[in-house]
Amino acid sequence: MTKDKTKNNYGDDKIVTLEWNVHIRKRPGMYIGRLGNGDDQGDGIYVLLKEVVDNSIDEFAMGYGKTIQIDVTEKDVTVRDFGRGIPLDSVIKVTSQLNTGAKFDTETFQKSVGLNGVGTKAVNALSSAFYVESFRDGECSWARFSRGELLDSGKGTTSERNGTLVRFTPDADLFVGYQYHMEYVESLVKNYSYLKKGLTLNLNGTAYKSENGLLDLVRDNISETPLYEPIHLEGKDIEIVLTHGTSYGENIASFVNGQNTRDGGTHLAAFREAISKTLKEWFKTNAKKDFAPEDIRQGVIGAVSIQIQEPTFEAQTKTKLGSVYMWEKDTVNPDGSHSFDKGPTIRSYVNDFIKTNLDNYLHIHKEIVPAMQEKIMSSESERKEISGIQKKTKERNRRTNIYNRKLRDCKIHYNDKLSAAKKELAEQTSIFITEGDSASGTITKARNAETQAVFSLRGKPINCYKESRKRVAENEELNLLVNALGIEEETENLRYNNIIVATDADDDGMHIRMLVLTFFMKYYPDLIRRGHVYILQTPLFRVKNKKQIRYCYNIPEKEEAIKALKTGVEITRFKGLGEISSDEFVDFIGEGMRLDKVKLSDEESIAEILEFYMGDNTIERQNFIRTHLRSEEELEDVNIQ
């Protein structure tokens, strides 16, 4: 057989070298994680803001500039610090040349967040307008860019105090329909103030400053009354706060070099392990009680912050720490060889600090021990009771083969030990929680069996809000769901990265959705805080003529489709997932899947949220429903036009 040579056209002419800014714009996810429009705190526009502020924070950390001015509108950001200022001849280089900067020199910047010479360049490349100006000893140097292209620059004299000013406008062509939401910006700024005692951050004229560091963070954000006064421990390169509350799960904030590591990492894992180990040993020695780690951590509220010389994050967004050592130093010897000097591992450093200091604290502050012990014993008693119920239910259902009917599992799971090549697949793992045979059958036929599982509820699950934990554990549907998720003992054992509630777009479907979310919010809030829980959006309408079909998720989309398709338009209103064919459904749970993330901030009160939505039928809730619920007449617009 003769090979078709036209298909083998890979030659030198196919090798392309992209300019630095073109590469960033072509692959923004490599640099800022994702784009987005600002509706989520993880969206790229907040990463751009953070990258610029990080540089000012690093100046303060080195002892220069006690104030940072930040001005944010819906579309623009201005940051002015009073640090040393960028060296005047390097203003253009450090904002437009990759792998260029002072943070490779550990003497100039120590324990910095930004170490790779990338952050400000990414801001520059992804902004339609970017202006930087440095002030040093009566002189200034400035440069103006658009999408990374230098437009103008210059030098002069100035009466401004030393420091750096950066002003940028994210590119609306990339961040489509974006705007800055001030609640996310304020949260970012508050965290900076908690982590950098003595620093004042002025956001749009409001000053944020903390005198007590992480202790202020926990006190300001805690949504329930702690069972005892928070324990606050500080040491070289580490600070922790610890207390217990009555809620389920854990609520622990973690930081590295002032960076909020929302997705945790090695330092958070070390903190959780250290408090379990230390408290277990303390109570075993001093109270003759042998507690399990999961009982010790149930209801924990706290925070951990560490400073590392060379932090390694799992992505440029720096939300998960991957470093193993507190510091590492690579020394080039005269003969050209390398000598690697490594400090203690993060695990050993955190363990040693907490073991020594928490043990000492409990011996000095014995008044808090009874409250802590009572909480742990209560968690232990409840866990053992629930565990027994779950075990019996699990065995009974296994004998009746009910699992095969409830769960259509996938091949890869989030907690699997996978090769680097398959790690990305683990991130894609999802479980759809739906109701009824029709809906679950549709999704099962349409899903990707490698990474997508389906769990079918039978009818409406129990309302967990005012029920006891024992009563909930006895509920077969929720018991099986917990087992399917793999979280009977630890939420860290979660088998799917994305938990997707997929219910019909009618009254019953919305009620089932609220009942499932109530269950997660009350008993597994960690899963929501860590961004694992979503609601699946499915189309409400199918608009078609003889040539085209459009699926619309809301009334404006439907009206736009009617205008676009013009004559002979047929409109179908979907009420249930089972009404959508599996062939159609493939598009709705594939690459174009629309998901609403369920959000729960650290400071939000779970009790207040559940009381509002699932408690007594108050006037406030009635008014909320009237304001937000679309009329059935609007949705029942099914006709031929």
Side-chain angles (χ1 to χ4, degrees):
M1 182 180 291
T2 304
K3 290 184 178 179
D4 184 356
K5 293 184 178 180
T6 61
K7 293 183 179 179
N8 186 19
N9 58 359
Y10 173 49
D12 291 329
D13 61 324
K14 299 299 181 183
I15 304 300
V16 177
T17 301
L18 298 178
E19 293 293 329
W20 69 275
N21 55 325
V22 176
H23 186 270
I24 293 175
R25 293 176 62 81
K26 192 174 183 66
R27 298 284 188 268
M30 292 176 58
Y31 299 89
I32 63 167
R34 67 180 185 220
L35 294 172
N37 63 2
D39 287 345
D40 189 279
Q41 63 181 346
D43 285 349
I45 61 170
Y46 303 107
V47 179
L48 301 187
L49 167 62
K50 183 180 67 62
E51 291 289 357
V52 175
V53 177
D54 280 346
N55 291 332
S56 299
I57 295 291
D58 289 337
E59 280 293 310
F60 170 78
M62 291 301 295
Y64 302 93
K66 295 183 178 180
T67 302
I68 300 173
Q69 295 177 351
I70 306 170
D71 293 290
V72 180
T73 67
E74 288 187 353
K75 300 292 185 182
D76 306 287
V77 172
T78 302
V79 178
R80 169 72 158 100
D81 68 42
F82 299 92
R84 291 166 289 186
I86 302 169
L88 300 182
D89 291 335
S90 300
V91 167
I92 295 176
K93 286 193 297 183
V94 301
T95 53
S96 63
Q97 290 184 22
L98 288 179
N99 305 317
T100 301
K103 294 179 182 178
F104 303 104
D105 178 0
T106 57
E107 292 184 1
T108 306
F109 286 95
Q110 296 177 1
K111 294 162 186 170
S112 163
V113 173
L115 293 172
N116 300 314
V118 173
T120 307
K121 288 83 165 176
V123 181
N124 188 352
L126 300 174
S127 297
S128 56
F130 180 90
Y131 178 82
V132 57
E133 185 168 10
S134 176
F135 311 99
R136 293 187 70 149
D137 303 326
E139 296 183 288
C140 64
S141 177
W142 58 271
R144 193 184 310 277
F145 299 82
S146 177
R147 299 175 176 87
E149 299 289 343
L150 180 63
L151 302 179
D152 200 5
S153 64
K155 293 182 179 180
T157 58
T158 182
S159 59
E160 287 273 356
R161 291 167 54 192
N162 285 1
T164 302
L165 180 146
V166 173
R167 182 181 298 115
F168 68 91
T169 303
D171 190 348
D173 291 341
L174 297 174
F175 305 95
V176 179
Y178 83 90
Q179 69 174 31
Y180 281 98
H181 294 286
M182 290 311 299
E183 62 266 31
Y184 296 145
V185 177
E186 289 170 4
S187 177
L188 177 73
V189 171
K190 284 181 180 178
N191 282 339
Y192 278 127
S193 69
Y194 295 133
L195 293 158
K196 299 295 179 182
K197 288 185 289 186
L199 172 65
T200 299
L201 299 106
N202 286 311
L203 173 61
N204 293 349
T206 300
Y208 295 89
K209 185 178 182 180
S210 172
E211 299 295 341
N212 301 298
L214 286 189
L215 184 59
D216 286 340
L217 181 149
V218 171
R219 283 175 171 168
D220 292 351
N221 291 339
I222 195 169
S223 59
E224 58 181 302
T225 302
L227 297 177
Y228 51 88
E229 181 65 19
I231 300 167
H232 186 205
L233 303 174
E234 294 182 89
K236 185 179 186 299
D237 297 331
I238 185 170
E239 180 181 4
I240 73 159
V241 177
L242 170 67
T243 186
H244 279 85
T246 57
S247 296
Y248 289 89
E250 303 169 25
N251 187 4
I252 305 171
S254 64
F255 304 87
V256 175
N257 293 6
Q259 165 67 33
N260 184 1
T261 43
R262 293 193 310 274
D263 298 324
T266 50
H267 60 317
L268 179 57
F271 176 73
R272 296 174 73 247
E273 178 187 358
I275 59 175
S276 299
K277 185 177 180 180
T278 302
L279 292 179
K280 179 180 177 67
E281 291 179 358
W282 197 94
F283 281 107
K284 192 172 184 178
T285 301
N286 297 280
K288 309 306 178 187
K289 300 287 186 180
D290 191 7
F291 294 127
E294 57 266 37
D295 299 325
I296 291 171
R297 294 199 303 269
Q298 183 68 269
V300 160
I301 301 166
V304 55
S305 173
I306 62 173
Q307 304 289 318
I308 302 178
Q309 185 62 53
E310 295 281 351
T312 301
F313 297 97
E314 293 195 1
Q316 174 61 22
T317 50
K318 305 173 186 135
T319 58
K320 187 172 185 179
L321 180 67
S323 291
V324 176
Y325 298 95
M326 287 295 290
W327 49 265
E328 298 182 65
K329 188 174 182 181
D330 178 7
T331 303
V332 181
N333 300 318
D335 62 358
S337 62
H338 290 254
S339 298
F340 294 93
D341 186 12
K342 297 179 179 179
T345 65
I346 291 173
R347 179 181 177 184
S348 64
Y349 188 86
V350 173
N351 261 292
D352 290 346
F353 172 80
I354 291 179
K355 180 179 180 181
T356 300
N357 292 276
L358 181 55
D359 184 88
N360 291 341
Y361 188 95
L362 293 176
H363 277 98
I364 296 171
H365 300 273
K366 293 183 178 180
E367 70 279 4
I368 73 169
V369 172
M372 180 185 287
Q373 180 172 323
E374 183 180 353
K375 167 60 181 175
I376 297 173
M377 290 177 66
S378 173
S379 298
E380 178 187 56
S381 176
E382 186 177 61
R383 176 184 59 81
K384 288 181 177 179
E385 183 178 35
I386 301 309
S387 179
I389 295 171
Q390 290 177 333
K391 185 176 181 180
K392 291 178 182 178
T393 306
K394 187 174 181 179
E395 290 300 321
R396 183 179 71 249
N397 290 329
R398 181 167 286 147
R399 287 195 299 271
T400 59
N401 205 28
I402 196 170
Y403 285 104
N404 293 335
R405 303 199 304 271
K406 303 293 292 184
L407 176 66
R408 299 292 188 272
D409 210 352
C410 52
K411 296 176 182 176
I412 294 175
H413 299 103
Y414 188 54
N415 60 353
D416 288 346
K417 293 181 179 179
L418 301 170
S419 64
K422 288 193 174 182
K423 281 288 186 183
E424 188 173 339
L425 288 175
E427 296 293 321
Q428 297 171 19
T429 53
S430 303
I431 183 170
F432 295 94
I433 302 173
T434 189
E435 188 274 327
D437 295 336
S438 179
S440 64
T442 298
I443 299 178
T444 299
K445 291 177 183 177
R447 66 170 176 153
N448 178 341
E450 188 171 32
T451 58
Q452 293 179 328
V454 183
F455 183 89
S456 177
L457 293 167
R458 186 180 68 248
K460 293 179 181 179
I462 188 174
N463 184 346
C464 302
Y465 174 47
K466 291 186 177 180
E467 293 288 354
S468 68
R469 186 72 177 95
K470 178 183 177 182
R471 174 86 170 84
V472 173
E474 290 172 338
N475 180 262
E476 182 179 89
E477 295 294 296
L478 296 179
N479 203 332
L480 289 170
L481 176 59
V482 168
N483 181 257
L485 295 173
I487 56 175
E488 301 103 314
E489 297 179 358
E490 287 274 4
T491 57
E492 297 297 320
N493 297 331
L494 181 66
R495 301 175 72 236
Y496 313 93
N497 187 28
N498 307 307
I499 302 169
I500 302 172
V501 183
T503 57
D504 292 342
D506 58 14
D507 291 345
D508 282 344
M510 296 301 158
H511 191 199
I512 292 170
R513 176 193 297 178
M514 288 300 298
L515 292 171
V516 173
L517 294 181
T518 298
F519 170 67
F520 284 120
M521 188 169 291
K522 183 172 181 179
Y523 294 113
Y524 299 97
D526 310 7
L527 297 179
I528 297 177
R529 288 195 179 98
R530 299 205 305 260
H532 290 296
V533 184
Y534 296 85
I535 295 170
L536 176 68
Q537 288 189 35
T538 52
L540 292 175
F541 307 99
R542 177 176 57 212
V543 181
K544 69 176 184 177
N545 59 20
K546 291 183 178 180
K547 295 182 179 180
Q548 287 182 282
I549 298 178
R550 289 194 182 186
Y551 297 97
C552 309
Y553 290 75
N554 51 50
I555 293 173
E557 286 187 12
K558 182 195 73 170
E559 299 300 330
E560 183 181 334
I562 292 172
K563 291 179 182 178
L565 300 186
K566 299 179 180 178
T567 59
V569 173
E570 178 184 336
I571 306 169
T572 303
R573 157 80 163 99
F574 296 120
K575 286 188 176 181
L577 302 183
E579 296 179 4
I580 306 174
S581 72
S582 56
D583 291 337
E584 291 177 294
F585 216 90
V586 169
D587 296 329
F588 310 139
I589 60 173
E591 290 186 3
M593 180 164 52
R594 296 193 191 185
L595 296 174
D596 291 329
K597 180 182 285 187
V598 181
K599 302 173 185 176
L600 181 64
S601 65
D602 293 340
E603 63 270 17
E604 285 184 295
S605 170
I606 294 174
E608 290 178 5
I609 293 172
L610 292 179
E611 176 61 34
F612 180 81
Y613 287 104
M614 306 304 291
D616 296 332
N617 192 17
T618 63
I619 295 297
E620 290 79 7
R621 186 167 68 184
Q622 292 176 22
N623 291 335
F624 176 85
I625 293 172
R626 291 191 187 99
T627 302
H628 293 85
L629 187 65
R630 289 171 295 190
S631 68
E632 191 63 24
E633 287 77 10
E634 288 181 296
L635 297 179
E636 287 295 344
D637 185 10
V638 181
N639 50 52
I640 306 294
Q641 296 191 16

